[in-house]
Amino acid sequence: MPFVDAAVAGTRNLLCVTATDTAPLCGAHFESGVRRYDTVPRNTEYHPEMGLRVLIGALVRRAASRDKAAVPVCSHVSRHYARTYLELEANATEANAALEELGFVHHCQDCLERDHEFGRLPDAPEVCPDCGSRRVVTAGPIWLGPVAEPSFVERVSDAVTDDMGEAKRARKLLDTVAGEPDRPTHYDQHRLYKQWSRPAIGMEEFVAALRDAGFAAARAHYSGTAFKTDATVAEMRDVTADLG
Ligand SMILES: [Zn+2]
């Protein structure tokens, strides 16, 4: 973060940022996350994505202070770092539009349901609308918009050649990122099944069941058990009740 202002000032088109301080980013080291990224990070079961969105949110705000719009075209969290590629545009109106993609996530620590709202001020629920728990935490402002532009990511994947080390791994990562539904948080399937006191079923079967029920659903690149969907926790529980 100490170098962001200089990087934004010295970059014309594409700003590429790697962050290795995942504990402050995801809220595991709360106070240092607040200091470095000037936001409220929260430690949830989707911590890699929380960290990525805290990072992008901070970068978008710093760029906006220089009348520049920063829009992520590709992002991922791999091993122990977050990486994002931001397209920069020197345009105050576009910078305003980028800021409108920031907002808050409200997360229930009991039933794992979460909601998000765009804007500069949060309207946090006092109790979880789904289970009535008072253990609802709010994170933000963080980036809520897309973390990648699928057509760009697909072109990057096509440009990976076998002589580039780890070509297979890179293609798999990029293809997963390109196919992720545009939602601000992902779920961890094992965490859900633990919550439901049921043995987890295979990821492919699980994601297919959600799709068959009419929901958007796909694996997410954050881990082998990560996925994204527009279904609620209660809907997922119902849809998969007879499986496994
Ligand atoms: Zn709840």
Side-chain angles (χ1 to χ4, degrees):
M1 291 310 285
F3 307 111
V4 169
D5 285 328
V8 169
T11 303
R12 187 171 297 174
N13 294 322
L14 197 64
L15 180 64
C16 311
V17 178
T18 303
T20 55
D21 56 340
T22 52
L25 276 170
C26 75
H29 293 169
F30 181 78
E31 298 294 350
S32 61
V34 171
R35 284 198 308 278
R36 278 181 213 174
Y37 298 101
D38 192 21
T39 189
V40 176
R42 291 296 185 187
N43 199 358
T44 60
E45 80 273 11
Y46 40 93
H47 51 90
E49 184 162 20
M50 175 65 66
L52 177 62
R53 290 176 181 279
V54 163
L55 174 68
I56 295 173
L59 296 170
V60 168
R61 284 184 289 153
R62 295 281 275 272
S65 76
R66 295 181 165 272
D67 294 341
K68 285 188 178 180
V71 175
V73 291
C74 184
S75 309
H76 63 93
V77 183
S78 305
R79 300 191 180 104
H80 295 289
Y81 65 91
R83 175 92 166 149
T84 186
Y85 302 79
L86 302 154
E87 190 172 18
L88 289 188
E89 190 181 350
N91 180 317
T93 305
E94 292 300 319
N96 290 341
L99 288 176
E100 284 176 9
E101 299 287 317
L102 274 79
F104 300 85
V105 168
H106 309 298
H107 177 79
C108 175
Q109 293 177 295
D110 282 322
C111 75
L112 308 181
E113 189 54 70
R114 69 289 303 260
D115 200 2
H116 64 278
E117 59 172 317
F118 292 87
R120 300 293 289 171
L121 294 168
D123 183 16
E126 279 188 23
V127 298
C128 171
D130 291 273
C131 75
S133 165
R134 294 194 164 270
R135 299 203 316 135
V136 179
V137 293
T138 295
I142 61 173
W143 177 257
L144 296 179
V147 298
E149 196 180 290
S151 61
F152 177 82
V153 178
E154 281 162 12
R155 270 157 48 216
V156 174
S157 179
D158 289 345
V160 173
T161 55
D162 290 334
D163 58 324
M164 298 177 178
E166 302 206 64
K168 194 176 162 192
R169 188 164 174 264
R171 281 194 201 101
K172 187 181 173 209
L173 171 69
L174 291 164
D175 293 346
T176 307
V177 169
E180 288 177 4
D182 177 23
R183 305 288 297 173
T185 64
H186 66 267
Y187 291 91
D188 178 75
Q189 195 229 22
H190 284 183
R191 181 71 186 81
L192 281 177
Y193 272 87
K194 192 178 163 201
Q195 178 83 9
W196 300 335
S197 302
R198 292 186 344 217
I201 61 172
M203 276 295 283
E204 294 302 333
E205 186 187 1
F206 180 84
V207 169
L210 292 179
R211 282 196 189 150
D212 290 346
F215 298 107
R219 280 172 176 265
H221 77 278
Y222 299 97
S223 79
T225 53
F227 67 97
K228 292 204 162 204
T229 183
D230 57 358
T232 65
V233 172
E235 285 166 339
M236 285 189 262
R237 186 181 178 148
D238 288 348
V239 163
T240 59
D242 299 329
L243 303 173

